[in-house]
Amino acid sequence: GPGHDYTPDHNWGGSGMSGLQEMLLQNFGGKIYLLPAWPKNLDVSFKLWVENKTFVEASYIGGKLTYKISDPEREKDIVLCGI
């Protein structure tokens, strides 16, 4: 059974977890895309890691987005999507 300590195993729900993460945050080309595929009518709170030991913590509740990024220098890399 599960109990592995590496990337989610796609046989144990990892496909769903990866899909949800991609809906919430995408990180490529030096940019951090927030909520690129999240439905506007669903509330959510999350904390996800991106490259360079940086994390983003965000809440989208009642149509209002609030977020913080652990590395203030990366603030310029945030791209708000679908809001």
Side-chain angles (χ1 to χ4, degrees):
H4 311 290
D5 60 354
Y6 50 85
T7 304
D9 183 336
H10 288 240
N11 294 321
W12 296 99
S15 295
M17 287 185 281
S18 295
L20 281 173
Q21 289 178 14
E22 289 289 319
M23 291 173 71
L24 294 169
L25 183 145
Q26 295 178 17
N27 181 211
F28 59 91
K31 298 291 184 187
I32 301 167
Y33 298 88
L34 288 181
L35 304 177
W38 194 255
K40 291 181 181 183
N41 63 332
L42 291 180
D43 294 345
V44 67
S45 293
F46 63 91
K47 179 179 180 180
L48 293 171
W49 289 90
V50 295
E51 63 191 5
N52 299 325
K53 299 180 182 177
T54 303
F55 69 83
V56 176
E57 190 169 5
S59 290
Y60 182 69
I61 301 187
K64 179 177 165 76
L65 175 68
T66 57
Y67 69 90
K68 69 177 182 177
I69 186 166
S70 63
D71 180 358
E73 291 184 18
R74 302 274 329 262
E75 179 75 31
K76 67 183 179 348
D77 299 331
I78 297 284
V79 178
L80 304 178
C81 303
I83 300 171

